[in-house]
Amino acid sequence: RSEFLSKDMCRSIIGSLQQIERNRPGIFQRESNGADTRLYGADRVASIFRLERETAELDRLAGAFHKGKDVVQFQMAGHITYAPDNLGSGAGWHRDSPFSQQFKFIIYLNDVSEENGPFQYIPGSHRHDTIAKYSRFLACALSQHRFSDAEIISLERAGVLDRKST
């Protein structure tokens, strides 16, 4: 097991995020019935979120993914807490824009396991052919970006989607 950031650094970042939230709660956005708290542009709020040295290789990969074009980037810091009717990270099943290429990386500041891991993805769900197939099956717009559990289950049952393919 390797650590991307030291435990001390993770604790410092978490402490800073908590302090900022106490002092400036209005700059945070809340989703998923209040369980998902996000600070968009965290790197512009406090220098502790600027991890240039630590993310240099990931930034290089993002540049390669975008074939050397200028990469627009920002950092989001957040936390998920238990709440009744919690829809999960990103307010449940969602897809980022199918009309733009995005490169994301997520750095967890605490240990994540199968029991508490807030993030799942569907392999290949970003591809245009897959988006078209899901949209046809669900009779929804290509631009639909939120999906209910029932929609995901119906895609699975019909064999249109396989979450266990990796």
Side-chain angles (χ1 to χ4, degrees), residues 48-108:
I48 194 163
F49 299 111
R50 292 184 207 121
L51 303 170
E52 288 98 352
R53 183 178 50 81
E54 294 84 356
T55 62
E57 180 62 14
L58 295 169
D59 291 336
R60 188 192 66 72
L61 290 171
F65 175 79
H66 288 286
K67 298 179 174 81
K69 298 176 188 165
D70 287 334
V71 177
V72 177
Q73 64 179 348
F74 72 93
Q75 292 177 1
M76 190 261 306
H79 60 86
I80 300 172
T81 55
Y82 173 79
D85 301 320
N86 179 352
L87 300 173
S89 176
W93 291 104
H94 73 280
R95 173 181 61 226
D96 293 331
S97 172
F99 305 111
S100 65
Q101 288 191 321
Q102 298 177 11
F103 181 96
K104 294 183 176 186
F105 54 89
I106 299 171
I107 302 169
Y108 288 96

Side-chain angles (χ1 to χ4, degrees), residues 147-162:
F147 300 92
S148 68
D149 284 342
E151 288 172 315
I152 296 298
I153 290 167
S154 70
L155 287 166
E156 279 185 303
R157 287 185 177 151
V160 177
L161 159 107
D162 179 11

Side-chain angles (χ1 to χ4, degrees), residues 1 80 108-120:
R1 174 181 146 172
I80 300 172
Y108 288 96
L109 301 176
N110 58 346
D111 290 335
V112 178
S113 69
E114 196 170 308
E115 288 77 35
N116 73 351
F119 185 82
Q120 293 182 17

